[in-house]
Amino acid sequence: MKLSPYIIILITVLASCDDTAAVLNINNPKIKEAYESRRKEYINENLKNCREDIIGKAEIYVDSLIAAEIDYRINDSIIFPEKPIKPEWPGAIIVPDSIKARPIFR
């Protein structure tokens, strides 16, 4: 009986499928190790991004607090003089008739 090469390849593939199905599950140590590695890498990447974001926001907040404190201290150290007292009204100004205007040009 003569088997064609296609049938031999088909039998080989079908026979090996049962082994790969048993190997490709979560209980496989290599798959479990790769999964844990990727999981730790993902968690570390998220923590790193979160820390960078929090540190950036904290720096902005601290800078604004320092600027506000500097402004407060500068404004607190400037002493403005008090408003001068307004003198009392002396009354209408009376010009005596004895003063005569003279021409500007002669």
Side-chain angles (χ1 to χ4, degrees):
M1 174 172 163
K2 185 173 180 187
L3 294 174
S4 74
Y6 297 112
I7 295 175
I8 295 173
I9 293 172
L10 181 63
I11 292 171
T12 307
V13 169
L14 290 175
S16 64
C17 283
D18 293 334
D19 293 337
T20 57
V23 173
L24 295 178
N25 63 19
I26 196 66
N27 295 330
N28 187 338
K30 289 183 181 179
I31 293 176
K32 204 178 252 189
E33 181 182 335
Y35 169 74
E36 288 298 325
S37 171
R38 290 286 296 155
R39 184 174 165 266
K40 287 179 184 177
E41 183 179 315
Y42 176 77
I43 290 171
N44 289 338
E45 185 71 25
N46 276 350
L47 286 175
K48 178 184 166 199
N49 291 341
C50 186
R51 281 188 188 117
E52 288 176 356
D53 186 40
I54 289 172
I55 288 173
K57 288 179 181 178
E59 287 176 350
I60 292 170
Y61 182 71
V62 168
D63 288 347
S64 66
L65 284 178
I66 291 172
E69 182 68 23
I70 289 172
D71 288 343
Y72 175 74
R73 289 184 187 242
I74 287 175
N75 289 337
D76 192 34
S77 65
I78 298 174
I79 300 171
F80 292 101
E82 291 185 20
K83 187 175 179 182
I85 299 172
K86 185 176 181 181
E88 292 185 25
W89 174 253
I93 300 174
I94 300 171
V95 179
D97 290 338
S98 63
I99 299 176
K100 299 230 181 214
R102 30 175 215 203
I104 298 174
F105 301 107
R106 293 186 189 201

